[in-house]
Amino acid sequence: MADKIPYKIYLEESELPTAWYNVRSDMKNKPAPLLNPGTLEPMKAEELAGVFCDDLIQQELDNETAYFPIPEEILKFYKMYRPSPLVRAYCLEEKLQTPAKIYYKFEGNNTSGSHKLNSAIAQAYYAKKQGLKGVTTETGAGQWGTALSMACAYFGLDCQVYMVKVSYEQKPFRREVMRTYGATVTPSPSTTTEIGKKILAEHPDTTGSLGCAISEAVEAELKQDGYKYVLGSVLNQVLLHQTVIGLETKAALKKYDIHPDIIIGCAGGGSNLGGLVSPFVGDMLRGEDQYRIIAVEPASCPSFTRGRYAYDFCDTGKVCPLAKMYTLGSGFIPSPNHAGGLRYHGMSPILSQLYHDGYMEAVSVEQTAVFDAATQFARVEGILPAPESSHAIRVAIDEALKCKETGEEKTIVFGLTGTGYFDMVAYEKYNNGEMSDYVPTDADLEKSFAELPKVDK
Amino acid sequence: MADKIPYKIYLEESELPTAWYNVRSDMKNKPAPLLNPGTLEPMKAEELAGVFCDDLIQQELDNETAYFPIPEEILKFYKMYRPSPLVRAYCLEEKLQTPAKIYYKFEGNNTSGSHKLNSAIAQAYYAKKQGLKGVTTETGAGQWGTALSMACAYFGLDCQVYMVKVSYEQKPFRREVMRTYGATVTPSPSTTTEIGKKILAEHPDTTGSLGCAISEAVEAELKQDGYKYVLGSVLNQVLLHQTVIGLETKAALKKYDIHPDIIIGCAGGGSNLGGLVSPFVGDMLRGEDQYRIIAVEPASCPSFTRGRYAYDFCDTGKVCPLAKMYTLGSGFIPSPNHAGGLRYHGMSPILSQLYHDGYMEAVSVEQTAVFDAATQFARVEGILPAPESSHAIRVAIDEALKCKETGEEKTIVFGLTGTGYFDMVAYEKYNNGEMSDYVPTDADLEKSFAELPKVDK
């Protein structure tokens, strides 16, 4: 059987998922609701309508519907770059001399360079359907902003992106890709918003954070008629859209009767991890199957492994609703020497609840070890991985090396979320031996935790 | 039938070509042989052995063998990124409102960002087989250097790249990709070679050219034991390896009974165009079928449309053999305001002979119009194309618009050779309205033609 498995498993277009899977429908303990920061009561649809599109609010709040049909227009766009391949890493296995079987779901074969397009096109579609002029958003490493620019270009929507300053400076070409797709890009914090001015006044040297860029994008949305705010991670709706990754992965594995023992994904806000693992976690929730699910996060921004499970603000400016999640505190800003994304202080409420309930493990890895894995992977598998994705590669390699010691033929599946073409400043540092690791001290975190809002829920 | 054609036609792994097609075997008028620049006699295998690997010399000189089996090790590597998709450009067709059916063969889904990997892995394989330590090469836009770095990393060979200075400066991140794969990258002209020093002394402000970088790479190879020189275009062996593109394209079209009316490729040295069209030209040479084949070149480096068909040096330093080809003269250096590749002064001898014999047409296009097409394509088809590839997009769109006028439902196939992630400096110029066109004057060309060697063949 094994030698019949091709290097790349592609589904047929007719096998593409036609509905997104809502893992909340199978969760006994539902993720805690978003709270109004003023009243501390669960946010209602009408309250969210000031910020989000109507259809997306329904998806955000619905904990019961198991499947949401994917609209035709979105399926049509998906077909331009999906199905994405599930790749058997034969060359990596050979290099590692491991009995483990390694697969990766590769989401980097589109211009956004990552899986972010899966939700961007959905969010742009619903904005268009609602008759909006445009959307505002933030972007960290730049994949989400690029994806949203592409999606908005496709539907003829205006796209305004607040880009975390450190990424804006390290990745000037990301900005040009977004501009090529017609978007406006502003480094954050900026002087175009009140919250941006305030943060700059308090921290003139800040390199920015996702939490801060979110505040600016929301403020910009509220000031303009015909605009809504969209977000590339954390939210339930985003995880829902991203389940197209996990559904395809499951279908591809099933085609060859492969049962994964370990499923690994990098975790920033949770969009990739949630999308990849939801259909498998669903099996576990329904008691139908069992897997080891591993979330991998950077040691410099360790929300799962060192964060608190508590209600917190989603943004630095504290204008967004509160979410119950594993968090480092909304004031936490990772060291600028950390490359790329995965810089968010919190974590998807769905994944937070699942982690809390024991459905997944989490590990944190340091930056140099991540780039060691990235380079090793690139040289044998060809693909130059994004730093974010390389967190998952690191742990996949570690697990494969454990199998080498024990002789176990485990099947490991990981999410290769994207490519590193716009991360060459980080690779240059690594190539020059100038990369450094940074782990926040307990005192750093305690200081940040002290700012958590007092919510008794 | 039409609505059954998927967005992307993928071959199965079992349908991958297992042999390269040698179009010379079907040519009545064989391409003219390479000449020894000293004796002006055809180069013999033993003379080429100082520069090239033995197996590659056989492939270079063999005008009779129709198919060369692809070695297992190369097929294994191909399977990491091949088959590449043949994409139906439904969204572009809709945008253009054309009755034409547009397909593109997309070769950008690998880290080198282009089709160059198809020959790089073959050349690295034969170098390894011959027991070499490493290879030297030149790169223009950087795709070839990246591809060769990847191939050398895979086989554990040292890789030394001379990169045309204008690209080295415009694309600093290309250098880091190559370094990530373990290569050494030197901007050309450099002071590391005699020819580099000479050119710098004569033209201290030169931005370099492929012809110059070739001279340096050959000199570097000759100075080191255990090294050979490899080249990413122009040569017969390169076109041979690249036929994997055309063979896959033909097989994918056949799967759905599609007959292409027009086949379009961008042309620099000819590697992509030759690889794409060879199997179709073979049909024409054997009198079995008919197609319109269109080569697209930049107006700033118009070897087919304004060059001479004559023996010329392949390099600026005049150390390489002479090739009979359409050429602008080995001293011709395109304007530095021309973005990206397609900067070579000459053209594949195979394609030159085919063009001379009327098997293909050629058009030249200006830069701004190329970026117009690139941006239009990106916004509807998602993929951010390389400037080189966008030459083909320009003409594909032009042909589709002609069909709109005439109402003809022609089938157009073009080669989308790569992605533009490392070309954002050029896109930035375009986005800022600062892109300029440049066309050499007749006087410029006459001056360059005056330097052509006097060869009576």
Side-chain angles (χ1 to χ4, degrees), chain A residues 5-8 10 12-13 76 78-83 91 94 108-111 150 153-154 170 172-173 175-177 179-182 375 378-384 421-422 424-425 427-428 431-432, chain B residues 5-8 10 12-13 76 78-83 91 94 108-111 150 153-154 170 172-173 175-177 179-182 375 378-384 421-422 424-425 427-428 431-432:
Chain A
I5 296 170
Y7 279 67
K8 291 186 262 71
Y10 277 110
E12 300 291 325
E13 224 160 81
K76 191 174 153 191
Y78 276 174
K79 285 177 188 168
M80 288 206 294
Y81 71 100
R82 308 202 66 84
C91 296
E94 196 180 311
N109 273 351
N110 69 73
T111 288
M150 293 173 64
Y154 185 77
Q170 281 188 354
F173 296 160
R175 179 195 65 217
E176 287 310 319
V177 178
R179 287 184 69 208
T180 298
Y181 285 92
T375 305
R379 293 188 181 186
V380 293
E381 287 288 321
I383 297 165
L384 185 81
Y421 305 128
F422 293 98
M424 296 319 296
V425 168
Y427 272 98
E428 183 175 11
N431 290 335
N432 291 340
Chain B
I5 296 170
Y7 279 68
K8 293 188 261 60
Y10 277 110
E12 300 290 326
E13 223 160 82
K76 190 174 153 190
Y78 276 174
K79 285 176 189 169
M80 287 205 295
Y81 71 101
R82 307 202 69 82
C91 297
E94 196 179 310
N109 272 351
N110 69 73
T111 288
M150 291 172 65
Y154 186 76
Q170 281 188 354
F173 296 159
R175 178 193 67 216
E176 288 309 319
V177 179
R179 287 183 70 207
T180 299
Y181 285 93
T375 304
R379 291 187 183 186
V380 293
E381 287 288 322
I383 296 166
L384 185 82
Y421 307 127
F422 293 97
M424 296 319 297
V425 168
Y427 273 97
E428 183 175 12
N431 291 335
N432 292 340

Side-chain angles (χ1 to χ4, degrees), chain A residues 98-120:
Chain A
T98 175
K101 293 168 183 57
I102 308 174
Y103 295 84
Y104 54 92
K105 180 69 169 168
F106 182 41
E107 292 286 318
N109 273 351
N110 69 73
T111 288
S112 79
S114 81
H115 66 293
K116 294 288 186 183
L117 199 51
N118 301 326
S119 184

Side-chain angles (χ1 to χ4, degrees), chain B residues 329-362:
Chain B
S330 66
F332 180 83
I333 295 184
S335 162
N337 79 3
H338 172 68
L342 311 182
R343 298 170 59 86
Y344 188 59
H345 67 274
M347 182 56 66
S348 144
I350 293 175
L351 294 181
S352 292
Q353 185 67 50
L354 290 169
Y355 179 63
H356 189 70
D357 291 346
Y359 288 99
M360 56 174 77
E361 308 164 30

Side-chain angles (χ1 to χ4, degrees), chain B residues 24-264:
Chain B
R24 287 166 285 165
S25 65
D26 282 315
M27 290 168 73
K28 270 179 212 154
N29 301 325
K30 306 294 182 192
L34 297 172
L35 298 187
N36 180 311
T39 64
L40 300 184
E41 290 302 314
M43 291 288 283
K44 293 184 194 119
E46 51 272 32
E47 293 174 291
L48 289 169
V51 178
F52 296 124
C53 300
D54 297 339
D55 288 285
L56 293 168
I57 293 169
Q58 293 310 313
Q59 296 178 356
E60 188 65 30
L61 298 177
D62 188 334
N63 285 342
E64 307 304 331
T65 305
Y67 286 92
F68 285 87
I70 304 174
E72 261 315 311
E73 291 85 342
I74 297 174
L75 276 178
K76 190 174 153 190
F77 189 89
Y78 276 174
K79 285 176 189 169
M80 287 205 295
Y81 71 101
R82 307 202 69 82
S84 71
L86 180 71
V87 185
R88 173 76 183 267
Y90 282 117
C91 297
L92 180 61
E93 291 171 19
E94 196 179 310
K95 178 81 181 174
L96 298 176
Q97 295 280 304
T98 175
K101 292 166 182 61
I102 309 174
Y103 295 84
Y104 54 92
K105 179 69 170 170
F106 182 41
E107 292 286 320
N109 272 351
N110 69 73
T111 288
S112 79
S114 82
H115 66 293
K116 295 287 186 183
L117 199 50
N118 301 327
S119 184
I121 194 63
Q123 297 193 45
Y125 166 75
Y126 291 116
K128 184 71 180 179
K129 189 180 159 208
Q130 200 171 320
L132 298 180
K133 283 186 216 162
V135 293
T136 71
T137 199
E138 79 297 326
T139 197
Q143 287 101 330
W144 168 247
T146 308
L148 191 69
S149 304
M150 291 172 65
C152 285
Y154 186 76
F155 284 124
L157 286 166
D158 185 37
C159 181
Q160 301 175 358
V161 182
Y162 286 85
M163 184 170 188
V164 175
K165 196 184 273 176
V166 63
S167 292
Y168 186 89
E169 287 167 359
Q170 281 188 354
K171 306 183 183 188
F173 296 159
R174 272 273 176 217
R175 178 193 67 216
E176 288 309 319
V177 179
M178 292 185 243
R179 287 183 70 207
T180 299
Y181 285 93
T184 316
V185 190
T186 308
S188 168
S190 76
T191 55
T192 67
T193 66
E194 295 311 312
I195 186 70
K197 286 181 203 162
K198 183 163 172 284
I199 291 170
L200 280 173
E202 287 168 12
H203 308 281
D205 297 327
T206 180
T207 52
S209 70
L210 265 183
C212 166
I214 292 173
S215 298
E216 289 205 86
V218 171
E219 184 182 324
E221 175 267 317
L222 293 169
K223 284 197 292 203
Q224 297 172 91
D225 279 342
Y227 281 74
K228 295 289 172 194
Y229 165 73
V230 296
L231 180 65
S233 193
V234 184
L235 296 176
N236 299 341
Q237 59 188 264
V238 177
L239 263 71
L240 178 73
H241 305 147
Q242 294 294 359
T243 58
V244 71
I245 305 172
L247 292 165
E248 278 187 15
T249 302
K250 215 173 167 195
L253 290 169
K254 198 176 167 195
K255 241 180 156 165
Y256 288 88
D257 269 331
I258 305 160
H259 183 274
D261 300 299
I262 307 174
I263 303 168
I264 301 167

